[in-house]
Structure formats: C-alpha cells, structure tokens
Amino acid sequence: MARALLRGAVGASQLGGTARFCSRAEPEPLTVRQQSDGIRRIILNDPRRRNALSLAMLESLRGNLLEDLHSHELRVVIISARGPVFSSGHNLKELTSAQGREYHTKVFDTCAEVMTLIQDLPVPVIAMVNGIATAAGCQLVASCDVAVATETSTFATPGVNVGLFCSTPAVAIGRAVPRKVAMEMLITGTPISAHNALLHGLISRVVPEERLEEETLAIARRVCQASRSVVALGKATFQRQMAQGRDAAYATASKVMVDNLALRDGQEGIRAFIEKRRPVWSNTEEKAHD
C-alpha cells in the first residue's frame, strides 16, 4: 500500500490554498509542514492531546509525507513535535466499542500505511524527539531512518497495561532492537531512557536539549550534500536486503552497486573524486551508460 501511495503521490499543500475569512477561528492543523533548502519539517501539532496518532493525525501526516514527494527539491524529512510529548500513540477514545471494528481496522491500516511509507520514501526520514514517545509514538520513532533524541526523552510500549498489547508497534520496534529488549518493553510497558534506547539501537544519537535542533539539522544538511538519486537507491536497497538472508542480500546489493555505477550521478561522483573537485549532482535517475 505504501508503495502504491508513493507512485501516486500528488496533491495540494496541507498548508496552502486561498485564505478564508470567517467569524470563527480556523482550527490549528494537526501537523505543520515547512520546507526550505531541501529539508522538509513535519511537526506534530496537537500537544493538548499529547500528539496522539488519531486517524485524523495519521492522515495529515501521510499527506505531508506525500506532498510533492518526487520533487528534486526534497532531499530529507524531519518529524518533530510541539509540547513535552513527542507522541502518546493512538487516541484510545477512538478504540472503544462505540466506534466499532470497521473504524478500528481503518485506524490500524492507516497507521501501517504511514509507518511503511516512511521506510519506502525515496528520501531519509529523521525523527527529532524531545519528550515522551509511547506505543505508536515509539513505533513512529522506530520507523524513521535516523532518530535524534534529547537526554530526558523516554520510550515505552505500555499498551499491555491498558489491555491492548502493542502488537503493531512491535513490528517496527522488534526490527530496531534486540528481541529480548523488545519483549521486555512489550510485556512490562516500562519506559526506557534515551541512553538505553541508544544502547539498544532504537535511536541514533542522544544530545542535550539545547543542541537537539542543531544536531538534527546537521545530519539533514549532510544528507542534502549527496545525490538524491544515489541516496534513494541506497535506502531502498538497504530496506530490501535487510529482509533477506546473507547470500540473497549480497546478490541484491551487488546488482545494485552495478546499477548505481550506471547512474549519471554515480559516474559524476567518481570523476569528481579522481579530478579532486566537488561533484555536481543532477539528482535524477538519468543513466551514464546501460
């Protein structure tokens, strides 16, 4: 489903459009999208509800991820949040019997689409975490390619404590941390610190709060220095080979290295290295040779 969304990614800006005037104030958007210099920032913007991943929040996040996805101007995405909670996970008020099985199915199907979409995007996605990330919020962090967190951030899958085992968060978390660490998180709901999250591979880096933005943007800007087409090929290959056995993974990766060399940007990078100059990327999938 996520790949189908990627192929059909077109649409209007979540924040754009003609201004409308009315007597009642417009509600705050659930997510805010900003973009400059190749970096798209998506901010979860519902701190009053602890940035819960309601169906509406998930749909808004999906729209922000897909907007102008294939533009060469987009090089990297940063997901952050307003308030002291990065995300508390699903909105439990949407998961009562009153909504019914069909609605519940839509919530979890949409969540799975968003999480897989993040991994299938042709550009890297960085989580910038300052605060608590629980349940599907922790799943969101685990689904991102890179995660930078403050020293006081915590991560948990506490669904078991309210009678709803975090089975879907376990898909992403179980692929990010060792199995026994994942199971302890899932069966106890006990939070882990940012430093333990780093130790076990759930996040990439722990920084003081005052350096969170600086450190995250430094990673994003470094990504922007590389060829978009080369990064896209590399990211897709990494995801594919990680799901394969060793021999199949080497076969996949070896073929892609040859494909990478056939790209115009692959040859430009090698020529620039030999000629001791900075490469000039086309950021396209144009071939240098067959």
Side-chain angles (χ1 to χ4, degrees):
M1 177 61 76
R3 289 183 176 87
L5 288 170
L6 284 171
R7 288 193 294 269
V10 292
S13 166
Q14 294 291 312
L15 301 180
T18 303
R20 292 175 291 172
F21 297 92
C22 57
S23 57
R24 185 174 301 172
E26 292 280 340
E28 284 282 320
L30 291 173
T31 60
V32 175
R33 180 176 62 85
Q34 305 165 344
Q35 186 168 326
S36 65
D37 300 324
I39 302 171
R40 175 173 300 175
R41 302 191 62 169
I42 302 174
I43 304 165
L44 306 184
N45 189 42
D46 195 13
R48 188 168 66 86
R49 295 182 180 85
R50 297 164 62 87
N51 292 312
L53 295 180
S54 63
L55 180 58
M57 173 74 90
L58 288 165
E59 290 173 339
S60 183
L61 178 56
R62 179 176 60 189
N64 287 166
L65 289 166
L66 289 170
E67 184 73 26
D68 293 328
L69 178 60
H70 299 297
S71 168
H72 294 162
E73 299 302 313
L74 176 62
R75 311 295 293 281
V76 63
V77 174
I78 297 173
I79 299 176
S80 61
R82 290 197 173 132
V85 177
F86 177 79
S87 177
S88 59
H90 292 292
N91 184 344
L92 295 184
K93 291 181 180 179
E94 292 187 337
L95 304 182
T96 66
S97 296
Q99 279 71 37
R101 188 179 188 90
E102 184 176 342
Y103 187 88
H104 297 163
T105 298
K106 186 174 183 180
V107 168
F108 289 105
D109 284 352
T110 303
C111 185
E113 287 175 18
V114 170
M115 302 301 168
T116 54
L117 174 60
I118 287 170
Q119 296 193 327
D120 290 343
L121 286 182
V123 298
V125 182
I126 304 172
M128 187 172 83
V129 184
N130 184 18
I132 300 165
T134 61
C138 189
Q139 179 186 5
L140 178 57
V141 174
S143 298
C144 290
D145 300 301
V146 175
V148 183
T150 58
E151 295 167 320
T152 54
S153 295
T154 57
F155 304 85
T157 51
V160 67
N161 298 327
V162 296
L164 183 65
F165 198 90
C166 286
S167 293
T168 46
V171 174
I173 295 166
R175 285 161 171 75
V177 307
R179 180 174 301 191
K180 288 181 173 58
V181 174
M183 279 302 296
E184 182 177 347
M185 291 178 67
L186 292 161
I187 64 177
T188 68
T190 304
I192 64 172
S193 68
H195 287 287
N196 279 335
L198 176 64
L199 175 67
H200 297 307
L202 180 61
I203 60 176
S204 317
R205 191 177 300 190
V206 178
V207 300
E209 183 174 349
E210 64 271 16
R211 287 177 49 200
L212 177 62
E213 184 126 349
E214 174 190 349
E215 296 273 353
T216 306
L217 286 173
I219 296 171
R221 290 179 182 128
R222 186 62 184 264
V223 171
C224 291
Q225 294 175 10
S227 162
R228 174 186 159 112
S229 53
V230 170
V231 170
L233 182 62
K235 174 176 172 177
T237 305
F238 180 81
Q239 297 290 350
R240 186 160 68 252
Q241 63 88 11
M242 285 296 289
Q244 297 175 326
R246 182 196 61 189
D247 293 347
Y250 268 118
T252 293
S254 296
K255 179 183 181 301
V256 171
M257 292 289 283
V258 175
D259 293 340
N260 193 156
L261 284 171
L263 287 175
R264 173 180 167 183
D265 280 356
Q267 289 301 306
E268 164 61 14
I270 290 173
R271 282 196 304 271
F273 179 82
I274 293 171
E275 296 167 7
K276 296 181 173 56
R277 61 173 175 82
R278 293 177 64 87
V280 180
W281 305 122
S282 71
N283 296 310
T284 70
E285 296 179 3
E286 184 178 341
K287 297 291 183 66
H289 60 260
D290 293 329

